[in-house]
DNA sequence: ATGCTCATTGCACACGTTTTCATTTTGATG
DNA sequence: CATCAAAATGAAAACGTGTGCAATGAGCAT
């Protein structure tokens, strides 16, 4: 009555298109599948009529028989984190180009992932799953998903990850040693003596690996191991932790933060509350190289994990796995390097 | 061979559970539907066996018959924008609690949404669609989705939105007049004379409405209409635009930015490049109140749109629409208010 | 004309659910 | 014990698609 489209909620089906085009329903199906054999002119006519009728194959029905949902599940603890939102954005764009849609799930804030969420996600039958939360056991996740193979991000040798040979998962290996080595060398070059490590979440594997690697490299170069303060990757916690650090003892002359946002918190605490100069009094280095790091207020020197490379590697993993479901564990490798800006000297 | 689960890719089905429990498949279906009539002890037994077999109803198969996909589509131009990522995060959390999953799509960077993307999304049959991109015609979108009803965010009276009475959509009405009035009053109170409006994207409806409203209120209060500079909601553009503003003419003594991130760019340009003091030389006010606005480096005075309220309103719209698909247009209203921090005086 | 290959076509079934609808069981009431 | 309403149950029919299989037709060499 109101518009041109009276029967709202009535979706055009392949049957309708078939009737309209005087062909069988199978022909319509084939028209939308490029490798199916169908007379070209017939295909064109069908596609034209389909367009007129606003028809698109129903993904749910299709996935029921093809066993491909064209969904990629992403489990994220905090979408607001600049690093994660960057990755979601780039991944979604890249996957969209390959015909996959992003299915977003929010994990608990404490980086954990409960059974309920997994069960819930499983029902949607994602073709692949990327967990931004690290501390979910590989055995659990792999056993849980039936056709999808999860992807894990492993840092350096990943000794902490343990041997999960019983379950199948693919790996993105991040070699952060290079970047950290450059960072420590720079700090040492500018005469830093007492460096503090402003950590991320204790449960975070990346965080523990960073701490371990930094300690190792400092010692190798004949420097003191770092003072370690725990954080949770947020600005506020880093801010307070920095105040604490400079209250009790005489502090540090360099701060290595587990992520860029934490470095921002440290810088603001030093400058606006402790009256110290960055980099003259205290040098600061971050991790990630998020877009905000080049903002003039911070202009942060940081260890860069290249987003484009990272996303490309992840997409490659997903596509390879989907093409050859029976393959053994796949691995992609990624490097890191220092980006020098204004917070060291 | 390798693990306990030999037949990977073989998902447990309702039939299997039924056989295992010596009941019909229908009983299994009912066991997972709380309002279906089923003997309690029987239901418990079925659910127990289902858990043992790691069974969950297949969402695709279910949605095929119930005509509910339990998917909410979100079309986002830039996931990295703090404001949008906040909203995605909160919406996903809230919807997840209601049993819906977030289906994320990336629109073109220029705020446009092409037919291809719409067609693509349509195939997934989302139960509802939230467009963070405003300049897609309501007629197009409504006509395109078959069962979902889109939600539009309208600012104040939304005169620019035009009369789309022919198509059905729901409205979230944001009354930004209050917040802007408080902001202008504050600026006037601190003696501002020449205020500039540092705009967002030209295509953005919110941006045009903000400019219109600010101009109107300034004039009502006997002040000069603002100098208007276009931007695109990003830090970098706002930074350069501010430099330009103070190069040609003698600038402004107050800047009203279309969003917080833009305000950050303006502040950094003033302080780090032009050697001006905020708030002594120039006062700055933003829009949104994102988490970064209370960071010490900025400590921004801004017009707040409450995220919690906004998300609650959106979820209410979605649920009401899903419960009563045949209702006329639904509307929710939202206020704004000024949050006073350190960038005015 | 005959045989052969190969592309094209359509029938019927499968995918895993929910939902009528008719039937059986239960439990309460007279 | 008989009666009746209500609750519990299962058979069968959808939902919209892809695919194996057999049938058809065209093209070409013999």
């Amino acid at each position: 009555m109101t518009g041109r489209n009276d029967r709202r909620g009535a979706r055009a089906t392949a049957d309708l298109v078939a009737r309209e085009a005087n062909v069988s329903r199978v022909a319509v199906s084939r028209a939308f599948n490029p490798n199916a054999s169908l007379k070209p002119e017939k295909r064109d006519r069908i596609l034209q009529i389909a367009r007129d009728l606003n028809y698109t194959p129903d993904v749910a029905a299709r996935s029921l028989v093809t066993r491909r949902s064209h969904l990629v599940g992403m489990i994220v603890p905090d979408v607001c984190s600049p690093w994660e939102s960057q990755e979601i954005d780039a991944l979604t764009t890249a996957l969209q180009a390959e015909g996959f849609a992003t299915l977003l799930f929010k994990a608990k804030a404490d980086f954990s992932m409960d059974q309920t969420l997994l069960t819930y996600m499983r029902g949607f039958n994602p073709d692949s799953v990327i967990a931004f939360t690290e501390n979910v056991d590989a055995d659990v996740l792999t056993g849980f998903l039936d056709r999808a193979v999860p992807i894990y991000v492993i840092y350096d040798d990943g000794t902490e990850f343990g041997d999960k040979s019983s379950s199948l998962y693919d790996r993105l290996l991040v070699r952060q040693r290079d970047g950290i080595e450059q960072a420590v060398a720079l700090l040492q070059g500018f005469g830093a003596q007492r460096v503090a490590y402003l950590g991320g979440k204790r449960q975070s594997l990346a965080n523990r690996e960073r701490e371990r690697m930094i300690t190792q490299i400092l010692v190798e170069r004949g420097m003191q191991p770092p003072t370690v303060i725990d954080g949770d990757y947020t600005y506020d916690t880093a801010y307070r932790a920095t105040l604490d650090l400079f209250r009790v003892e005489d502090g540090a002359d360099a701060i290595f933060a587990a992520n860029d946002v934490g470095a921002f918190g440290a810088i603001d605490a030093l400058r606006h509350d402790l009256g110290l100069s960055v980099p003259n009094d205290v040098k600061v280095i971050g991790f990630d190289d998020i877009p905000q790091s080049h903002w003039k207020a911070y202009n942060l020197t940081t260890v860069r994990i290249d987003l484009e490379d990272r996303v490309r590697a992840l997409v490659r993993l997903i596509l390879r796995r989907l093409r050859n479901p029976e393959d053994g564990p796949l691995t992609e490798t990624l490097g890191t390097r220092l980006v020098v800006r204004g917070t060291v000297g």
Side-chain angles (χ1 to χ4, degrees), chain A:
Chain A
M1 294 294 180
T2 65
R4 67 185 183 289
N5 200 356
D6 279 333
R7 288 180 313 125
R8 265 194 67 74
R11 203 187 143 97
T13 158
D15 261 317
L16 179 61
V17 178
R19 228 163 339 178
E20 212 74 18
N22 274 325
V23 294
S24 84
R25 193 182 50 74
V26 191
V28 178
S29 168
R30 288 201 238 266
F32 280 88
N33 195 330
N35 348 0
S37 119
L38 190 66
K39 218 147 132 189
E41 57 203 36
K42 197 175 202 172
R43 158 167 294 142
D44 290 346
R45 190 162 51 94
I46 293 179
L47 287 180
Q48 180 53 51
I49 293 184
R51 209 167 312 131
D52 292 347
L53 262 53
N54 212 356
Y55 167 79
T56 302
D58 185 299
V59 177
R62 169 190 298 204
S63 83
L64 202 56
V65 43
T66 57
R67 318 192 78 80
R68 284 248 181 289
S69 62
H70 291 266
L71 294 173
V72 173
M74 298 190 194
I75 305 175
V76 188
D78 179 16
V79 183
C80 306
S81 142
W83 170 252
E84 292 183 17
S85 68
Q86 248 197 124
E87 197 159 354
I88 295 171
D89 189 279
L91 266 173
T92 299
T93 309
L95 289 172
Q96 202 163 297
E98 300 285 345
F100 295 90
T102 296
L103 200 58
L104 199 62
F105 297 94
K106 185 97 189 316
K108 291 253 185 74
D110 64 348
F111 267 49
S112 82
M113 191 154 64
D114 58 7
Q115 196 81 356
T116 316
L117 178 58
L118 280 176
T119 312
Y120 180 45
M121 186 181 64
R122 218 176 70 96
F124 285 95
N125 261 321
D127 286 341
S128 184
V129 171
I130 302 176
F132 292 68
T133 304
E134 305 148 313
N135 63 340
V136 54
D137 191 77
D139 273 331
V140 174
L141 190 50
T142 311
F144 212 80
L145 303 165
D146 7 45
R147 26 199 220 233
V149 173
I151 298 175
Y152 274 81
V153 181
I154 316 249
Y155 292 88
D156 292 310
D157 53 0
T159 44
E160 279 219 42
F161 201 70
D163 183 7
K164 304 285 188 182
S165 60
S166 71
S167 61
L168 177 66
Y169 55 92
D170 298 327
R171 293 161 183 75
L172 174 58
L173 190 65
V174 181
R175 308 201 47 230
Q176 46 185 5
R177 169 148 195 135
D178 301 345
I180 297 180
E181 226 160 26
Q182 295 167 24
V184 171
L186 188 72
L187 288 178
Q188 200 172 26
F190 277 96
Q193 310 251 343
R194 306 178 315 283
V195 1
Y197 176 66
L198 180 47
K201 277 204 166 66
R202 251 274 146 266
Q203 307 98 310
S204 160
L205 195 57
N207 174 51
R208 287 201 302 267
E209 283 291 320
R210 272 163 209 180
E211 176 185 328
R212 203 175 60 83
M213 189 65 63
I214 289 170
T215 307
Q216 182 183 321
I217 293 177
L218 280 174
V219 172
E220 278 175 18
R221 291 178 157 265
M223 298 175 69
Q224 292 289 325
T227 310
V228 175
I229 333 168
D230 280 349
D232 59 1
Y233 290 129
T234 69
Y235 174 94
D236 288 330
T237 305
Y239 187 91
R240 280 194 302 271
T242 305
L243 294 185
D244 286 348
L245 173 66
F246 281 78
R247 180 164 307 137
V248 284
E249 20 186 344
D250 112 292
D253 56 9
I255 293 180
F256 208 139
N259 66 331
D260 286 355
V261 173
F264 298 161
I267 292 173
D268 280 351
L270 291 167
R271 286 182 179 155
H272 299 275
D273 211 307
L274 297 166
L276 294 171
S277 157
V278 177
N280 292 340
D281 299 325
V282 182
K283 293 142 196 19
V284 177
I285 290 186
F287 225 108
D288 289 345
D289 196 19
I290 58 177
Q292 287 85 341
S293 298
H294 82 266
W295 288 8
K296 293 277 173 161
Y298 298 112
N299 198 27
L300 182 68
T301 296
T302 186
V303 175
R304 175 182 179 93
I305 303 177
D306 193 81
L307 181 72
E308 307 253 336
D309 290 348
R310 182 170 170 126
V311 166
R312 250 196 302 271
L314 286 172
V315 172
R316 244 190 331 250
L317 279 178
I318 294 174
L319 296 183
R320 279 169 61 195
R321 170 59 63 199
L322 251 46
R323 236 184 294 282
N324 311 85
E326 305 301 336
D327 278 4
L330 308 176
T331 302
E332 291 271 350
T333 307
L334 207 65
T336 57
R337 65 180 176 82
L338 187 69
V339 175
V340 178
R341 297 206 183 88
T343 53
V344 170

